[in-house]
Amino acid sequence: MLQSIARRSLALLAATPFVALCLFMTATSAQAQDMPRTMIWTSYDLGASGHAEASAIADAFGREYGMRVRIQPSGSAIGRLQPILNERADIGFLGNEAFFATEGLFDFATPRFGPQDLRVLMGKVNSFGMAVAADTGIESVADVEGKRVAYPAANPSSSLKCDAMLAFAGLSRDDVEVVTFPTYAATMASLSENKADVTCTVTATGQMYELAESPRGIKWLDLDASDEAGWARLNDVAPLFKPVSEAQGAGLSEDNPAQLMAYRYPVLTVRSDMDDDTAYAVTKALDETYGMYKNATATAPRYAIKQAAVPPIDAPFHPGAVRYLKEIGVWNDDSEQWNEARLERLNALRAAWDEIVDQGEELDDDAFADLWSERREEALAELEAQ
């Protein structure tokens, strides 16, 4: 009898690791089953941080879940977004074109596009600010009035951010001397070359480091987080920015941070009709593989889900992503309120677009854009009045 009990005990002990292994494999398989076997992603060109980060995430998904990802790089907003709209790509690692596309702005203000029904999974936090040479005597955004401000030609993303920061101090382009440069790089070099007094840029570029190390030095103009009226004016330009204390970049450190404006890049953007379970599984995978890709670039640690998956952002969050964020306690009532308002805004603009499409059939692109701009402003005013 004792021998029989001993044999049963040994058998149970031997089976225990197998049972644990089976449970682990079942849990892992459940995650893997919800993940697509293949996906196509779009991103900025080779060499861009967004492409490097997309590649690192794709590698993590391949190693962890066996997913095969093909990345299609493009140097244009349309090139990154069109494959998603045409259902030839699943996720776009986008810039502010995610916002422009949902708003029907710039390239998307033509009869071919209009406000697009997009959703997001998350977006890495980045900072953007107004930089001046330290010897100019410019101490605040309000002091920029009447000064030469560098704007890049044909770069609505950078120009929008610069407009927003001017609005923080109650200014607009009419209150400054706009100096247009052919490229974004040229706007950053304009301070060292004394061709402009102010430039709007990210903090960690070569041109900004060169200015910081020159005899002139560099100063970032603070956007005080406690200035509620200033931030309200800033977000009237585009409701996707929030305050950030930035310690990385030219002239900055943990002991000397600047109070700047946070935006998202890349914004992981999908169609609204992505299956909820797929959006849930991908968002979960982004969180669970974070340790595998967080060192891909200097700012990749900012993919941490508590930073990257909360509003504000360029478009409404996908319900599948929200489900996972609620599960892990990242999503709260403020997030829900923001998302509902953002959906309401998107739906109002899409309805306004439908009203004018037939009216504009005979118009050229410029005339149609003017018609849409007027109707868009009316729709937003009507929404604000509700």
Side-chain angles (χ1 to χ4, degrees):
M1 182 175 176
L2 291 173
Q3 288 178 341
S4 176
I5 293 172
R7 282 197 300 270
R8 286 199 298 271
S9 298
L10 287 170
L12 181 59
L13 287 170
T16 300
F18 176 72
V19 171
L21 178 61
C22 287
L23 290 172
F24 171 76
M25 290 177 66
T26 300
T28 304
S29 298
Q31 172 69 33
Q33 286 171 5
D34 291 334
M35 293 283 279
R37 295 184 64 183
T38 62
M39 293 189 97
I40 298 174
W41 300 349
T42 67
S43 79
Y44 275 67
D45 277 333
L46 292 167
S49 62
H51 184 276
E53 291 159 4
S55 299
I57 295 170
D59 180 66
F61 281 16
R63 286 188 283 155
E64 189 72 9
Y65 311 112
M67 180 194 285
R68 297 180 62 186
V69 176
R70 180 159 62 90
I71 298 174
Q72 294 182 347
S74 175
S76 73
I78 299 298
R80 290 185 292 275
L81 194 49
Q82 187 72 68
I84 297 169
L85 302 179
N86 291 346
E87 302 185 22
R88 297 198 309 271
D90 305 289
I91 301 176
F93 282 63
L94 307 183
N96 288 131
E97 62 265 25
F99 175 72
F100 300 151
T102 58
E103 295 280 307
L105 291 172
F106 304 113
D107 290 341
F108 304 96
T110 66
R112 177 185 171 192
F113 290 109
Q116 298 297 312
D117 202 16
L118 299 173
R119 301 291 184 271
V120 299
L121 306 181
M122 65 163 57
K124 188 187 71 174
V125 176
N126 287 274
S127 64
F128 205 85
M130 276 189 167
V132 299
D135 62 3
T136 60
I138 299 173
E139 297 294 329
S140 68
V141 180
D143 293 340
V144 173
E145 184 174 7
K147 301 298 191 296
R148 299 171 299 169
V149 180
Y151 273 79
N155 190 325
S157 179
S158 294
S159 297
L160 176 81
K161 296 183 186 74
C162 207
D163 289 344
M165 287 185 288
L166 286 174
F168 179 84
L171 304 176
S172 71
R173 295 192 200 189
D174 292 338
D175 300 305
V176 301
E177 182 184 342
V178 173
V179 185
T180 303
F181 293 86
T183 65
Y184 175 53
T187 66
M188 293 185 288
S190 66
L191 300 189
S192 295
E193 297 169 354
N194 198 26
K195 294 179 178 177
D197 304 305
V198 182
T199 192
C200 307
T201 181
V202 295
T203 61
T205 67
Q207 294 94 332
M208 294 298 99
Y209 279 112
E210 287 175 10
L211 178 63
E213 293 163 8
S214 75
R216 302 193 69 191
I218 190 170
K219 180 176 178 59
W220 296 94
L221 305 182
D222 282 337
L223 302 168
D224 186 353
S226 66
D227 186 344
E228 294 182 5
W231 276 98
R233 288 190 296 269
L234 187 153
N235 274 306
D236 277 344
V237 176
L240 65 153
F241 305 118
K242 66 178 182 180
V244 64
S245 181
E246 181 59 84
Q248 294 184 359
L252 301 175
S253 67
E254 293 293 339
D255 295 328
N256 183 40
Q259 307 309 305
L260 304 181
M261 179 176 76
Y263 73 106
R264 305 305 179 100
Y265 167 74
V267 182
L268 276 62
T269 309
V270 300
R271 294 184 304 278
S272 64
D273 63 0
M274 174 179 268
D275 178 76
D276 281 7
D277 289 340
T278 301
Y280 171 93
V282 172
T283 305
K284 183 177 182 179
L286 286 162
D287 184 26
E288 293 185 343
T289 60
Y290 169 72
M292 301 171 69
Y293 64 80
K294 68 178 183 179
N295 295 318
T297 65
T299 57
R302 296 179 182 181
Y303 278 97
I305 201 157
K306 290 182 179 180
Q307 291 179 274
V310 293
I313 199 167
D314 296 63
F317 281 85
H318 194 286
V322 171
R323 174 155 56 99
Y324 177 68
L325 298 173
K326 286 180 176 178
E327 281 184 11
I328 62 172
V330 169
W331 196 261
N332 59 27
D333 290 343
D334 288 342
S335 299
E336 187 69 23
Q337 184 178 358
W338 181 92
N339 211 48
E340 288 177 359
R342 188 66 183 85
L343 274 169
E344 188 177 8
R345 178 183 174 111
L346 174 55
N347 291 333
L349 290 176
R350 285 173 60 78
W353 178 269
D354 290 341
E355 292 171 10
I356 67 150
V357 167
D358 291 340
Q359 291 178 253
E361 278 187 347
E362 305 300 321
L363 301 178
D364 62 29
D365 283 353
D366 289 341
F368 183 88
D370 289 341
L371 174 66
W372 164 238
S373 179
E374 182 178 345
R375 181 64 191 100
R376 178 178 175 275
E377 292 301 321
E378 289 173 357
L380 292 176
E382 291 163 5
L383 190 63
E384 186 71 23
Q386 290 179 5

